[in-house]
Structure formats: structure tokens, C-alpha cells
Amino acid sequence: MPLDQGQLNSLGLPKAPSDTRVVVAMSGGVDSSVVAAMLAKEGYDVVGVTLQLYDHGAALAKKGACCAGLDIHDARRVAEAMGFPHYVLDYENIFRDAVIDEFADSYLAGATPVPCIRCNERVKFKDLLETARDLDADCMATGHYIQRKPGDAKAELHQAADPARDQSYFLFSTTQDQLDYLRFPLGHLKSKDETRALAARYGLPVADKPDSQDICFVPNGDYASVIEKLRPGAADPGDIVHVDGRVLGTHEGVIHYTIGQRRGLGIGGLSEPLYVVKLDVEGRRVIVGPKEMLATRRVPVREINWLGDAPLTSQDEWHVAVKVRSTRPPRDAIIRPVSATEAEVELVTPEEGVSPGQACVFYDPDGTRIFGGGWIWRGY
């Protein structure tokens, strides 16, 4: 039954749900499963797509990671239960080239990469989105906790209603073209309990499935062991050096350390607590110093994705709030553009442990809108 003229369906499209094809990116977890089931129940023409992102044999043995063997099976079970088609696409080679290799190389260069952002940017919201278009889908929906809202000029990206589940830090690189096509049906929910209640209502087999915790290709959070396998010889030993030049001990590879780290340095017995303040990869040195050396106000950022209404370079300064790590709240800052994709961010209050390879995400200081963000490329 067609909609009245000017009327929009629940996805903001001027079509009846039965005439609206939606590709749902299904990881096998409860969030994307609920999205698929919800849209199917509303009468949309749902097509589920799951990406196999890394070694299928290894995936079968690892529970709780997205896009692994058991999760592919769970996604298929949900599709069968709800009666919509489901496809599995082999993206192992794309994922390795676009995400895993850069992750290893960034770590070896002394950065602290965020591969989940690159996966969204280069795989899920690029190749998968193009697949959705090839399937003649009107839009693609995901289980991410973030909101897409209509604005005066264009679709806007906003933080999720539940601050504890908000995934905006990991989605800052979503372009305007992608945002126009994407939908996030869970972003308005107040808590994960609401999502699980919906899963139970739909009778989904994943209703009680635990959330994934680790990066999918990093078992138990052991980054170093993964990098050693990908880049043999990466864990070469070297010196732990105080900023004043004293050699305090030795380490078993720079890849075992991150800026801001205090625990696990193996240099006890000193009068002051010491933190990793710099990684000298070429010299194989871990440089440590007092906590105050971690504080910085200047954060150079590049590869900026800007989602503001006016061009980034249309103003000399933008007063925003920024996150320099996913676990920290937005803090007041000033963006000073250098070009359309590069800027220097000044933090009003110094932050500790700002690290190359992390994202710097821009927020409306007086609201929930996300203005994009970029990559920190020199944090000290």
C-alpha cells in the first residue's frame, strides 16, 4: 500500500516498507540481529549481509568477536527465524589489506591504532555499502549506537541517546554521502536492556549472547602477539630510558608499550612513578618520565572528515568539544584549520596520554551533533 504524498516511512524514505529494500549489516551479535528483525517485522524488504573478515578456521575457535565463524552461523539463524535472505561475503583479503596490515605497521611505528574505525571506514561503510547499492537497496542499516537526524541543510550525525553505548568515536569518518544512505535504528534507545528486550520479544536465538569485547583479530587483547606473527622480529629488545638519559632497564619490544602506560614497565624501586612518554622505534627505546610530561594542549590532526554545514576552511577557528580517546568525555577545544583535511587542535585543558594513531573526534559543545574528526599524527 503506497504512502500518502509527502509521508515518510520509519526510515525516512517516501515509500511503503514493503517497497523499501534494506540491506542490514549483520555481525551475528544481538544489536544488528535486532535491527534486522525489527525491520522485517515492520514489513521492509530485508536482506542480511555478513562479512567474513578473517581466517575462518581461527574464527570458529574464538567466541565473542564480530564477523567470526560462530557469529556468521548466528546471523544465519536469525535470518532463517525471521524469514529474510542472508548472504556471507568473503572479505578476508580486503580486511587484511585495509585494516590488519596498517594496524601492524602503525604499532611498529610507535602509534596506537584504532582498527575498528578503519574497518568501518574502509570495509563496512565502503565495500559493503557499495554491495548494498548493487543489490538495489534503498538504504543500509546497522546496529551501531549512533543517531542520524535530519538537519536544516542535510542529514546530521548525532551521539546515541545512551551515553554508555555511544559509538560516535568509532564512526567519525562516516562521509556525508555514506550518512545519506545509512540508517541506525538503535541510536535512540536509552539502554542495552531495551535492545535485549526487543531480541526476546522477537524470539531471537542471540537474545542473551554476550557483547564482543576484543578487536576481532586480537584474541584476549594481546596486541603484541598478533603483531609478532604478522611482522616477525618486531619484538626486538631495547632499553627503557628516563627522559634525563638514564638507562633504567630493558624491554622485550617497543610493541609491548603505549604512551601513558605505567604498569608493567619492570623498573620498580624508584622514588617517583614513571610513565611511557615517547616510543623511539628506530632506536628501540621506551622513554619514560613523570606524569606531567604526558600533558599536552596541541594536537595536530590530519585526514579530517568534516561534517559541518560550512566548509572547515571557511573559518579561522572553530570552538568545539573533542575526544582524543574513546573512553574520555568530550573536552572544550579550538580547531584551527590548515587545509580542508588538516588542522591543529588546541585543548582548553591539557590532556594526558594523547597518542599518534588515535582519533580526535569533533562534537558540538552545546548539543549532540558530531562534526567529524581526524587522526592524531604527532602527539608529543
Side-chain angles (χ1 to χ4, degrees):
M1 181 176 177
L3 298 177
D4 294 336
Q5 188 171 4
Q7 188 178 357
L8 302 177
N9 62 32
S10 63
L11 293 175
L13 297 167
K15 287 183 171 185
S18 59
D19 297 325
T20 306
R21 175 168 291 175
V22 186
V23 163
V24 179
M26 299 182 69
S27 67
V30 65
D31 299 324
S32 57
S33 296
V34 165
V35 168
M38 177 192 304
L39 296 176
K41 281 287 189 181
E42 290 180 23
Y44 287 96
D45 177 12
V46 172
V47 178
V49 177
T50 301
L51 303 182
Q52 181 183 313
L53 294 182
Y54 63 104
D55 182 67
H56 189 63
L60 288 170
K62 183 174 186 292
K63 296 181 180 180
C66 86
C67 311
L70 289 171
D71 300 290
I72 291 170
H73 174 67
D74 286 341
R76 184 179 292 117
R77 289 168 64 206
V78 169
E80 289 174 352
M82 300 304 299
F84 59 81
H86 174 256
Y87 301 98
V88 179
L89 304 181
D90 184 352
Y91 273 40
E92 284 190 30
N93 290 337
I94 292 171
F95 185 64
R96 180 169 185 124
D97 293 344
V99 179
I100 297 180
D101 284 343
E102 184 190 69
F103 169 83
D105 292 340
S106 295
Y107 240 93
L108 290 178
T112 308
V114 191
C116 297
I117 299 177
R118 288 301 197 193
C119 182
N120 289 326
E121 173 188 316
R122 297 176 174 177
V123 182
K124 292 177 181 175
F125 289 176
K126 181 175 179 288
D127 294 285
L128 178 54
L129 192 142
E130 288 306 313
T131 297
R133 293 187 193 275
D134 291 342
L135 291 170
D136 293 325
D138 295 284
C139 62
M140 186 173 92
T142 80
H144 289 106
Y145 288 87
I146 196 166
Q147 297 188 80
R148 175 193 183 275
K149 295 184 178 182
D152 294 335
K154 55 189 177 182
E156 299 174 355
L157 201 61
H158 286 254
Q159 292 171 271
D162 178 7
R165 306 297 302 182
D166 176 60
Q167 292 176 289
S168 57
Y169 184 86
F170 300 98
L171 296 169
F172 80 85
S173 61
T174 305
T175 66
Q176 190 63 50
D177 181 60
Q178 292 166 347
L179 184 57
D180 291 340
Y181 191 68
L182 287 163
R183 300 294 187 273
F184 309 106
L186 302 184
H188 69 286
L189 298 183
K190 298 291 192 263
S191 72
K192 183 62 176 272
D193 290 341
E194 290 188 38
T195 306
R196 293 199 180 277
L198 286 170
R201 182 193 306 172
Y202 299 135
L204 300 183
V206 296
D208 297 321
K209 185 174 181 178
D211 292 340
S212 59
Q213 300 294 330
D214 302 324
I215 294 171
C216 64
F217 60 91
V218 183
N220 304 318
D222 189 356
Y223 291 26
S225 66
V226 171
I227 294 166
E228 286 182 60
K229 290 177 183 177
L230 292 169
R231 300 290 186 270
D236 291 337
D239 292 331
I240 298 175
V241 183
H242 195 281
V243 288
D244 64 12
R246 288 178 290 150
V247 176
L248 302 179
T250 59
H251 64 78
E252 296 182 354
V254 172
I255 60 172
H256 294 282
Y257 301 87
T258 59
I259 291 174
Q261 179 177 335
R262 179 186 175 188
R263 298 181 184 277
L265 299 181
I267 49 171
L270 300 170
S271 59
E272 60 174 341
L274 296 175
Y275 298 78
V276 177
V277 298
K278 187 175 181 180
L279 297 173
D280 175 9
V281 178
E282 291 185 4
R284 301 203 304 275
R285 298 189 308 160
V286 173
I287 299 170
V288 297
K291 188 176 183 179
E292 55 265 25
M293 290 197 67
L294 291 170
T296 184
R297 295 182 68 162
R298 293 177 58 253
V299 184
V301 179
R302 61 186 178 186
E303 291 184 65
I304 290 174
N305 176 55
W306 178 250
L307 294 173
D309 294 332
L312 177 64
T313 53
S314 65
Q315 294 183 194
D316 293 334
E317 292 185 351
W318 296 87
H319 290 257
V320 298
V322 303
K323 274 190 182 187
V324 293
R325 282 189 182 270
S326 63
T327 54
R328 297 182 183 177
R331 303 286 178 84
D332 288 342
I334 301 168
I335 304 172
R336 296 189 175 92
V338 176
S339 70
T341 58
E342 195 166 333
E344 182 169 286
V345 174
E346 179 185 347
L347 305 173
V348 173
T349 303
E351 286 264 8
E352 296 172 351
V354 176
S355 176
Q358 295 283 303
C360 180
V361 182
F362 312 147
Y363 296 85
D364 181 347
D366 301 314
T368 60
R369 188 174 176 185
I370 298 123
F371 291 124
W375 294 94
I376 301 168
W377 64 278
R378 190 178 66 246
Y380 40 78

